[in-house]
Structures are given as C-alpha cells and as structure tokens.
Amino acid sequence: VQLVESGGGLVQPGGSLRLSCAASGTIFSVNTMGWYRQTPGKERELVATISTGGSTNYADSVKGRFTISRDNAKNTEYLQMNSLKPEDTAVYYCNVRAFQYEWWGQGTQVTVSS
C-alpha cells in the first residue's frame, strides 16, 4: 500500500489549503484514515481522523477550522484547512489504520507565513 499526499505549500495567515491523500494497493474496506503533523524537535501529533462510516475526531487546536473527509470509492482522504495560523506550520502526514496494520504517507510541508 502506498499513500501519496498532495496539496501542501506556502500560505498567508488566514488563508486556506486542501490536502489530499490517495491510497494505492489493497487496503481493508473498514479502516480509519487520519492526518498527523510534526514540527522539528516535537513528536508527531494527531490532527484529525475519520472512520469508514464518517465519524470524525479533531485535535482541539484545529476544531472549527479544519475538516477531514474521505471518498471510500477512491480510497482518498482530504483535509480542508481554513483560517490557517503560523502555528499550523508543520509537515503533515496522512495515515491509514486497519486492524493491526498501519500505513503512512511521505509527508507534505505546510508553511503559514506572511
């Protein structure tokens, strides 16, 4: 299984970005997709997750600003990020978990700066 991310980049504070993550290969139909982020010297942290049925979970720091979604037919997940802040700057990783299996994307840089 490969997870390929896209959509990162440089954006001004208050701006928006949409990240995508497409899974290729065979993954279980029942799984949890998620986004995590990491800055230098810090541990990777949860941003948001979404189950196959659409149940979502968000870090308090992004609630009301970020929206996670998925297209099960395309094995793709998305992260819509609005009202971005400088503290959102990080490498964002997509993740898929199913039973005892877990896969990670290669990471995409998001930089929020004026």
Side-chain angles (χ1 to χ4, degrees), residues 5-107:
E5 300 154 353
S6 60
L10 173 64
V11 64
Q12 291 187 342
S16 298
L17 280 176
R18 188 191 194 209
L19 305 182
S20 299
C21 176
S24 62
T26 302
I27 62 173
F28 295 100
S29 59
V30 177
N31 56 65
T32 297
M33 290 182 158
W35 290 94
Y36 293 72
R37 65 188 183 187
Q38 188 170 23
T39 54
K42 292 189 177 181
E43 291 189 356
R44 194 171 296 185
E45 64 175 7
L46 170 73
V47 175
T49 62
I50 184 168
S51 69
T52 304
S55 297
T56 58
N57 178 51
Y58 294 93
D60 288 342
S61 59
V62 307
K63 282 180 181 177
R65 300 188 298 122
F66 291 10
T67 302
I68 189 170
S69 60
R70 61 188 288 166
D71 184 333
N72 292 331
K74 295 181 179 180
N75 284 337
T76 300
E77 61 173 314
Y78 307 94
L79 185 68
Q80 178 66 42
M81 304 185 292
N82 298 329
S83 302
L84 281 161
K85 304 175 181 179
E87 51 263 44
D88 294 318
T89 296
V91 177
Y92 284 70
Y93 297 89
C94 64
N95 171 275
V96 176
R97 288 183 285 114
F99 303 105
Q100 73 270 35
Y101 303 100
E102 186 173 41
W103 300 273
W104 290 93
Q106 79 285 0

